[in-house]
Amino acid sequence: MHSDENSLIGAIEAGGTKFICALARPDGTIVARARIDTRTPEECFPEVAAFFHDSAATHGPIAAFGVASFGPIDIDPASPAYGTFTTTPKPGWQGARFHDVLDRFGVPFVVDTDVNGAAIGEWQAGAGQGARTLAYTTIGTGVGTGVLRDGRSLMGFSHYEMGHIHPSHDHAADPFPGWCPYHGDCLEGLVAGPAIIKRWGTSLDHLADDPAKIELIGGYIADLAADLVLMHMPDRLIFGGGVIKAPGLIEAVRRRTEKRLNGYVRNDRLDPGLERYIVTPGLGDDAGITGAIALGRQALAQHQTPD
Ligand code: ZN
């Protein structure tokens, strides 16, 4: 018999401005929670460790951790650099490792990206419930997609970087050259929040009365949506993040995705109009920490050998 029911899970949603730390029961109920400002690892890791030490003293021992983190970060459990920040421009974080804060607890942990974490949260308790293959895309400061199969994130030698695909870009209709430092007019370079502000001087939700602009951005995002369908055949696509909240945008994405696929993929999942197929998140701000708890549960399961 294992102690599944009583095991507590430590969860960390590590973002560029804040760490949300939570102690939770395996059913997801959070028993303690803290917000810690992201500074340097030397400054914030000790606070993270102190929170888990203190909350475990009150609520009981921690059996596993799940981490959903900003990146780029090595998420390959077989890699010697697993859990290490790689090329992040964030001062002090390159080379920092979650092992530095979690090894002291002597329990298993899983590290994944913030996007994959949010995808898992949505799969667990939000708009992705019931989907065996799920693609979750966030369009905000950056653009990223997590693809799940049965609640686990897919990866290659690293996490996916689908925000950097090149959508078709008509330079006459949209002369903006893009702002991605690596690719210029990749998807992130054309549709991320900063790209829209650089191009039009304001965020997309302030441009809702300009249908041509909404349609243009929706068309770029639809290129990714159609590519996701063609490459992964997901049961559902979720689009979240600040940019997606612009009125009319998700409708434009649906319309343009349908046009782009042009009837080629026929399946009941792709309903006419794609209103059930392309959806917005169900969890709001709690997707990340919900996903981190689910990752902790995965860490626990991986280290429990069947009797
Ligand atoms: Zn790029």
Side-chain angles (χ1 to χ4, degrees), residues 16 32 46 49 56 70-71 79 82 108 147 153 156 201 216 224 244 253 266 275 280 301:
F70 71 96
S79 160
Y82 182 53
V147 181
S153 58
L216 181 76
L224 172 64
I244 287 293
V253 172
R266 283 163 201 259
E275 283 181 31
T280 51

Side-chain angles (χ1 to χ4, degrees), residues 44-82:
C44 84
F45 276 176
E47 285 185 37
V48 170
F51 164 76
F52 286 114
H53 274 302
D54 294 351
S55 56
T58 307
H59 298 280
I62 300 170
F65 283 93
V67 179
S69 177
F70 71 96
I73 187 166
D74 190 324
I75 61 163
D76 178 2
S79 160
Y82 182 53

Side-chain angles (χ1 to χ4, degrees), residues 164 180 182-183 186:
H164 297 269
C180 175
Y182 289 90
H183 318 110
C186 67

Side-chain angles (χ1 to χ4, degrees), residues 34-193:
R35 183 205 145 114
I36 292 164
D37 288 338
T38 309
R39 287 145 294 157
T40 65
E42 292 74 21
E43 288 169 304
C44 84
F45 276 176
E47 285 185 37
V48 170
F51 164 76
F52 286 114
H53 274 302
D54 294 351
S55 56
T58 307
H59 298 280
I62 300 170
F65 283 93
V67 179
S69 177
F70 71 96
I73 187 166
D74 190 324
I75 61 163
D76 178 2
S79 160
Y82 182 53
T84 306
F85 288 92
T86 54
T87 53
T88 180
K90 210 169 169 46
W93 285 90
Q94 198 163 324
R97 208 175 179 210
F98 278 100
H99 296 59
D100 298 341
V101 64
L102 296 181
D103 271 351
R104 71 194 77 189
F105 293 91
V107 297
F109 56 89
V110 165
V111 178
D112 210 330
T113 65
D114 46 3
V115 178
N116 285 340
I120 292 166
E122 286 291 333
W123 176 81
Q124 186 83 41
Q129 292 178 74
R132 289 202 68 192
T133 305
L134 178 69
Y136 170 94
T137 301
T138 180
I139 301 183
T141 316
V143 178
T145 299
V147 181
L148 307 184
R149 178 71 178 165
D150 293 327
R152 288 175 182 261
S153 58
L154 301 179
M155 64 175 296
F157 63 82
S158 180
H159 48 79
Y160 296 158
E161 291 284 3
M162 281 176 275
H164 297 269
I165 64 161
H166 276 265
S168 37
H169 181 189
D170 176 351
H171 291 262
D174 179 19
F176 182 64
W179 74 289
C180 175
Y182 289 90
H183 318 110
D185 62 349
C186 67
L187 185 64
E188 184 170 298
L190 289 172
V191 311

Side-chain angles (χ1 to χ4, degrees), residues 183-209:
H183 318 110
D185 62 349
C186 67
L187 185 64
E188 184 170 298
L190 289 172
V191 311
I196 288 165
I197 289 172
K198 272 192 170 66
R199 193 200 269 106
W200 292 317
T202 186
S203 59
L204 199 60
D205 53 343
H206 291 116
L207 295 164
D209 56 353

